[in-house]
Amino acid sequence: METPVALLLELGVILAALSVLGALARRFTLSPIPLYLLTGLAVGEGGIAPVPAAGEFVGAGAAIGVILLLLVLGLEFSLQEFAVGLRRHVSSAVVDVVLNAAPGAVAGWLLGLDGVGVLALAGATYISSSGIVARLLSDLHRLGNRETPAVLSVLVLEDLAMAFYLPVLAVLASGGVWWQAVLGVLVAVGAVLVAFTVSYRWGHHLGRLVAHPDAEQLLLRVLGLTLIVAALAEFVHASAAVGAFLVGLALTGETATRTRAVLSPLRDLFAAVFFLAIGLSVDPADLLPVLPAALALAAVTLVTKVIVGRYAAFRDGVGRRGQWRAGTALIARGEFSLVIVGLVGTTHSTLGPLVTAYVFLLAIAGPLLTRFAGVLPVRPGPVTEAREGAPPPP
Amino acid sequence: MDVTEVLLPGVGLRYEFTNHRGDRIGVVARRTGDFEVVVYGTDDPDEGRSVFELNDEEADAVAEILGAPRIAERFADLTKEVPGLASGQVEVRAGSAFDGRPLGDTRARTLTGASVVAVVRGEEVIASPTPRTVLRGGDVLVVIGTHEGIAGVEQIIRG
């Protein structure tokens, strides 16, 4: 076997660069996703340091990255948590869909995208990044806060919406005449419902099938099963990512918990490659023309997400400051907005650069804003005087 | 004392209670097995200030420290003063051979020389149990004697 020196070197340098950037971002409690995107832009075509040899690996790695992202998303699903979220926050979820999908849809229509493009952009502006938000809440020590269940409930209900949205989008994006599309959508929704049923009624049997005390065996079995199902899904023109998601849904209980633990590092690695690939696929020259649209869209959906978060926290009886923390926590968009573009990207040339720029802006703005929302008093008033260390009032 | 349990979807659970001094305390139990203890402030009752974080192993250790019956402390002090004398705790497992049988049936003192000086049953402590005291699964026997004696009692109870 010949060792591909160029590939190893380029890949090594890229990973080392990602690690430095990621560590830097974590240092300031920011998301590393924008930096990964930037790195992708820099090493892509028209960038400053092209990497011809690593391109093929990055492409394959990105495909695996999406599959792992969605597999782990499926593993996170617990019907009990949905039941709780639905009971308390169904109205927050409705406000969320209306306020955050609408700006994307309107923008898509104004930009002259077709129906699939409009639907994709609506999804990209709707879905908060549960990865960034959950990490942020943990890093900022906000898991114990009273507004946190409201934030997490909104995220969980968004994930539920994605369970139906992604298969439908994947089918629509693959094209065909109207009756093929309708049939495809029905099959996709049916598949999700079947996965839910399997998960609910026979999840533990399926879990036993792949469960093994040895981590290596568990990893091989789950990955093997997932990749086979993903390939089959791709073969019938539903996306591979959606197939992986269905596998994740079907696995529950102890097996899901252990699989999540075993897969998480692998997911993080390949997700980084996926963000890199998204950056790679976008030509920096294409970014400038879409920047005004991305900025406008980011500004609008930043405000609408804050409204949703404040509303959800308000419903849980949280005070004004907690409401601001909840609102700002939800701003960050990330992996799933990019997954959506990955599903339709090849057919819509403006969508890739637009959503990349959009995610870039909000993945930076979200963590920054929510960090300061917790520190600064919302409105200087009598409440802050009682603070320790504050000078006594004259 | 009321402990409120709140589901944190995707993350785990949070327990909340107010202690005797009126501090509102929260414990976040994450799915990963880690714990975080927070105290809620007075200026913003919704914001929990993080006090400390524990991994699963540390949390087990803390639970053991806090959960140990207080009676054991006093015996530990006593055994420090008398060299060669030790105290230990032996649990009667549910379904063990002595679950439901009187203490006398174990013949622990006759066989090992160590004495069962108390039986801890949940919140209740039966001090100076008689041979007729009936044991139940989950009871913890407080045993005083030599190290070998305590080990012997443990062996008998375990069957």
Side-chain angles (χ1 to χ4, degrees):
Chain A
M1 197 182 77
E2 200 180 320
T3 308
V5 180
L7 168 71
L8 294 184
L9 189 65
E10 286 181 12
L11 207 56
V13 170
I14 291 174
L15 291 183
L18 289 187
S19 120
V20 171
L21 291 172
L24 212 67
R26 292 275 180 249
R27 181 87 181 268
F28 298 102
T29 331
L30 289 172
S31 163
I33 292 179
L35 296 176
Y36 295 165
L37 288 175
L38 263 188
T39 310
L41 280 174
V43 300
E45 214 167 302
I48 47 171
V51 281
E56 201 171 320
F57 175 84
V58 170
I64 293 177
V66 181
I67 285 172
L68 289 177
L69 271 171
L70 282 161
L71 171 65
V72 174
L73 174 68
L75 288 172
E76 292 282 346
F77 265 63
S78 129
L79 287 172
Q80 189 220 351
E81 289 174 351
F82 280 115
V84 170
L86 272 177
R87 240 196 334 268
R88 303 210 13 208
H89 283 291
V90 81
S91 64
S92 316
V94 171
V95 172
D96 192 14
V97 171
V98 173
L99 284 186
N100 289 296
V106 170
W109 177 67
L110 287 176
L111 289 168
L113 298 176
D114 63 356
V116 175
V118 168
L119 186 66
L121 195 54
T125 57
Y126 162 66
I127 183 86
S128 295
S129 164
S130 35
I132 297 179
V133 177
R135 175 94 197 204
L136 203 58
L137 292 175
S138 166
D139 286 348
L140 294 175
H141 297 289
R142 295 220 185 129
L143 288 177
N145 285 11
R146 299 254 161 71
E147 76 274 6
T148 297
V151 174
L152 294 172
S153 290
V154 169
L155 288 180
V156 149
L157 292 178
E158 286 181 358
D159 290 350
L160 181 66
M162 280 290 117
F164 291 95
Y165 170 86
L166 286 177
V168 168
L169 183 71
V171 166
L172 291 177
S174 70
V177 288
W178 71 268
W179 63 268
Q180 280 174 323
V182 170
L183 194 70
V185 166
L186 288 179
V187 169
V189 171
V192 173
L193 291 176
V194 166
F196 270 126
T197 315
V198 168
S199 150
Y200 184 65
R201 305 194 60 161
W202 301 291
H204 54 288
H205 290 301
L206 191 73
R208 259 210 315 267
L209 215 67
V210 293
H212 195 278
D214 189 25
E216 182 186 323
Q217 271 294 324
L218 184 70
L219 191 63
L220 290 175
R221 288 178 188 192
V222 173
L223 260 188
L225 176 70
T226 306
L227 292 181
I228 291 169
V229 172
L232 289 178
E234 190 73 41
F235 184 67
V236 298
H237 302 293
S239 144
V242 171
F245 180 58
L246 295 181
V247 174
L249 276 188
L251 289 173
T252 52
E254 182 60 19
T255 312
T257 313
R258 283 197 53 226
T259 307
R260 215 164 34 222
V262 177
L263 275 181
S264 288
L266 199 65
R267 192 260 325 247
D268 293 344
L269 175 67
F270 280 98
V273 175
F274 168 69
F275 300 134
L276 193 74
I278 291 279
L280 258 172
S281 70
V282 172
D283 190 336
D286 291 344
L287 277 181
L288 271 182
V290 297
L291 209 55
L295 266 171
L297 203 53
V300 172
T301 55
L302 189 155
V303 174
T304 50
K305 267 293 175 197
V306 171
I307 294 172
V308 172
R310 291 199 59 177
Y311 175 72
F314 167 76
R315 281 182 58 84
D316 272 6
V318 171
R320 182 184 286 271
R321 276 171 62 178
Q323 290 174 24
W324 277 106
R325 284 194 298 264
T328 48
L330 284 170
I331 292 171
R333 314 295 206 283
E335 65 277 23
F336 294 118
S337 303
L338 296 173
V339 165
I340 290 168
V341 173
L343 284 184
V344 297
T346 48
T347 49
H348 294 75
S349 51
T350 48
L351 213 50
L354 176 62
V355 173
T356 306
Y358 174 78
V359 167
F360 185 83
L361 292 169
L362 287 186
I364 292 179
L368 272 178
L369 284 172
T370 192
R371 200 158 55 135
F372 291 120
V375 181
L376 300 175
V378 171
R379 194 178 281 176
V383 189
T384 50
E385 280 171 16
R387 278 267 190 92
E388 260 181 303
Chain B
M1 189 181 86
D2 287 332
V3 179
T4 321
E5 187 185 296
V6 184
L7 181 73
L8 301 177
V11 172
L13 289 166
R14 188 182 72 214
Y15 302 94
E16 255 183 67
F17 61 90
T18 308
N19 73 0
H20 66 283
R21 291 180 46 177
D23 294 328
R24 192 83 184 142
I25 295 170
V27 179
V28 178
R30 301 175 67 167
R31 271 185 188 168
T32 50
D34 298 351
F35 290 85
E36 183 173 358
V37 176
V38 299
V39 175
Y40 294 95
T42 43
D43 56 337
D44 181 355
D46 302 318
E47 185 179 12
R49 269 180 300 116
S50 178
V51 182
F52 55 81
E53 286 175 73
L54 303 168
N55 65 21
D56 49 352
E57 204 180 316
E58 292 154 357
D60 276 350
V62 171
E64 220 165 281
I65 294 167
L66 298 178
R70 242 159 282 159
I71 189 159
E73 279 168 31
R74 262 178 274 138
F75 283 120
D77 291 343
L78 173 74
T79 52
K80 247 181 257 161
E81 290 163 20
V82 187
L85 193 64
S87 75
Q89 297 172 35
V90 179
E91 195 197 348
V92 182
R93 300 248 165 81
S96 113
F98 296 104
D99 185 352
R101 281 171 61 190
L103 178 60
D105 281 13
T106 63
R107 298 178 61 228
R109 186 158 40 196
T110 321
L111 293 172
T112 66
S115 306
V116 175
V117 295
V119 177
V120 182
R121 180 172 294 162
E123 301 285 326
E124 181 194 358
V125 176
I126 305 163
S128 326
T130 66
R132 278 185 303 280
T133 304
V134 176
L135 300 179
R136 284 195 217 147
D139 285 356
V140 174
L141 310 183
V142 179
V143 188
I144 294 274
T146 59
H147 285 291
E148 293 84 341
I150 294 167
V153 174
E154 192 155 13
Q155 237 166 23
I156 293 169
I157 298 294
R158 216 182 267 163

